[in-house]
C-alpha cells in the first residue's frame, strides 16, 4: 500500500486548503482512512476519519471547518479545510487501516496506536499565518 499526500502550502488565517491523498495497492480491499497531523513541539493529533460505509469522525478542534471525503472509487482521499487557524499549522498525514473498521475505530487507532496503521504517507506541510 502506498499513500502520497499533496496540497499543503502556506496560507493566511481564514483561508481554505484542500489536501489530497492518492492511494494505491488497495484495489479490491475493504479499508478505512483518515488524516492526522503533527505540529512542531506537539503530540500528533487525529483530525478526521472515514470508513467504507461513508461514516466520518472529526476532532473537536476541526469539527465544522474540515470535511473528509473519498472519490474515484475511493482511490483518492481529500481533506477540505476551511476557516484555517494558526493552530492548524503542521505536517498532515493520511493513513489507512485495512479490513472492516469504523471511522471511530480508525480515529482511535490514529490517536492511541499509530503503529497499528497499515500505512501512512510521507506528509504534506500546512502553514497558517495569522
Amino acid at each position: 500500500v502506498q499513500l502520497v499526500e499533496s496540497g499543503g502550502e502556506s496560507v493566511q488565517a481564514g483561508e481554505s486548503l484542500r489536501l489530497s491523498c492518492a492511494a494505491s495497492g488497495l484495489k479490491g480491499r475493504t479499508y478505512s482512512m483518515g488524516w492526522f497531523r503533527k505540529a512542531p513541539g506537539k503530540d500528533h493529533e487525529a483530525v478526521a476519519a472515514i470508513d467504507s460505509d461513508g461514516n466520518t469522525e472529526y476532532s473537536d478542534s476541526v469539527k465544522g471547518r474540515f470535511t473528509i471525503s473519498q472519490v474515484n472509487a475511493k482511490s483518492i482521499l481529500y481533506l477540505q479545510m476551511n476557516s484555517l487557524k494558526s493552530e492548524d499549522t503542521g505536517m498532515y498525514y493520511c493513513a489507512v487501516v485495512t479490513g472492516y473498521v469504523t471511522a471511530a475505530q480508525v480515529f482511535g487507532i490514529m490517536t492511541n496506536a499509530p503503529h497499528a496503521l497499515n500505512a501512512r504517507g510521507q506528509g504534506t506541510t500546512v502553514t497558517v499565518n495569522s
Side-chain angles (χ1 to χ4, degrees):
V1 177
Q2 185 176 15
L3 304 174
V4 179
E5 304 93 337
S6 62
E9 61 181 85
S10 180
V11 297
Q12 294 298 116
E15 293 184 342
S16 298
L17 273 179
R18 188 177 75 167
L19 305 183
S20 301
C21 173
S24 58
L26 292 170
K27 187 177 181 180
R29 304 173 72 173
T30 300
Y31 57 89
S32 298
M33 298 187 75
W35 290 94
F36 66 96
R37 65 189 178 188
K38 178 72 171 67
K42 296 183 179 180
D43 290 336
H44 74 281
E45 177 189 14
V47 174
I50 186 167
D51 63 29
S52 55
D53 291 329
N55 300 306
T56 58
E57 190 80 16
Y58 296 93
S59 68
D60 289 341
S61 62
V62 307
K63 199 172 295 181
R65 299 188 298 123
F66 290 13
T67 302
I68 188 171
S69 62
Q70 287 178 316
V71 294
N72 292 346
K74 297 188 268 187
S75 63
I76 300 180
L77 181 73
Y78 292 114
L79 185 68
Q80 177 67 42
M81 305 186 295
N82 298 329
S83 302
L84 283 162
K85 305 175 181 180
S86 57
E87 51 263 45
D88 295 319
T89 293
M91 182 76 83
Y92 283 71
Y93 302 87
C94 68
V96 65
V97 178
T98 56
Y100 187 76
V101 185
T102 67
Q105 289 172 320
V106 174
F107 202 89
I109 292 170
M110 290 192 294
T111 300
N112 300 311
H115 59 276
L117 296 168
N118 292 100
R120 54 175 273 185
Q122 293 299 308
T124 186
T125 302
V126 173
T127 302
V128 183
N129 302 297
S130 57

